[in-house]
Amino acid sequence: MEEREQKKLKRRQLLILLNQDPNWHKKNNSLVAAIQKKAIEISYSDQEELLELTIDHYKELCESGIPIKEMHRRFGIPAGKFYSWRKENGLCKRVKVGSD
């Protein structure tokens, strides 16, 4: 199947999921998880594979010069969750307060 056709099929599958419950966005259940997974498949289809969120992969991206603002996309997670993960693992740089 051609890449364009695959993307079209994934969009149709996403629409089917979205139509199952008009208030899906107000809930946190398996339907929401399926919708999010399908949306990620569509959004990141141009990447070969999403990276597993590990400290080693994080450090590799840092060394490659990938901006922090864009790293969460490489891992396929929202920016807020990525920030929380970095904070939990002590990977957030501390802002230095100027000495007067």
Side-chain angles (χ1 to χ4, degrees):
M1 187 180 291
E2 187 180 315
E3 183 181 338
R4 188 174 182 174
E5 290 175 17
Q6 287 178 342
K7 202 165 193 177
K8 193 174 182 179
L9 176 63
K10 288 179 183 179
R11 285 187 183 129
R12 283 187 186 145
Q13 291 169 342
L14 178 60
L15 287 173
I16 291 168
L17 291 170
L18 291 169
N19 284 323
Q20 286 182 14
D21 183 356
N23 294 316
W24 68 268
H25 59 281
K26 297 179 183 177
K27 300 174 183 171
N28 190 12
N29 56 29
S30 60
L31 177 61
V32 174
I35 289 170
Q36 290 173 338
K37 182 178 177 183
K38 189 59 65 178
I40 288 171
E41 286 177 17
I42 293 169
S43 299
Y44 298 102
S45 64
D46 59 332
Q47 294 179 358
E48 290 178 15
E49 179 179 311
L50 295 176
L51 291 175
E52 182 182 351
L53 185 57
T54 65
I55 293 174
D56 288 337
H57 284 149
Y58 172 81
K59 289 180 179 179
E60 286 174 16
L61 292 178
C62 286
E63 290 170 4
S64 299
I66 304 296
I68 296 291
K69 292 180 180 179
E70 301 205 12
M71 283 188 192
H72 69 95
R73 293 184 188 131
R74 302 279 178 114
F75 295 112
I77 61 173
K81 284 186 180 182
F82 182 59
Y83 174 76
S84 296
W85 177 85
R86 288 176 46 232
K87 190 173 179 180
E88 288 171 12
N89 288 285
L91 299 169
C92 290
K93 291 183 180 177
R94 295 188 178 140
V95 177
K96 294 182 182 178
V97 178
S99 55
D100 294 307

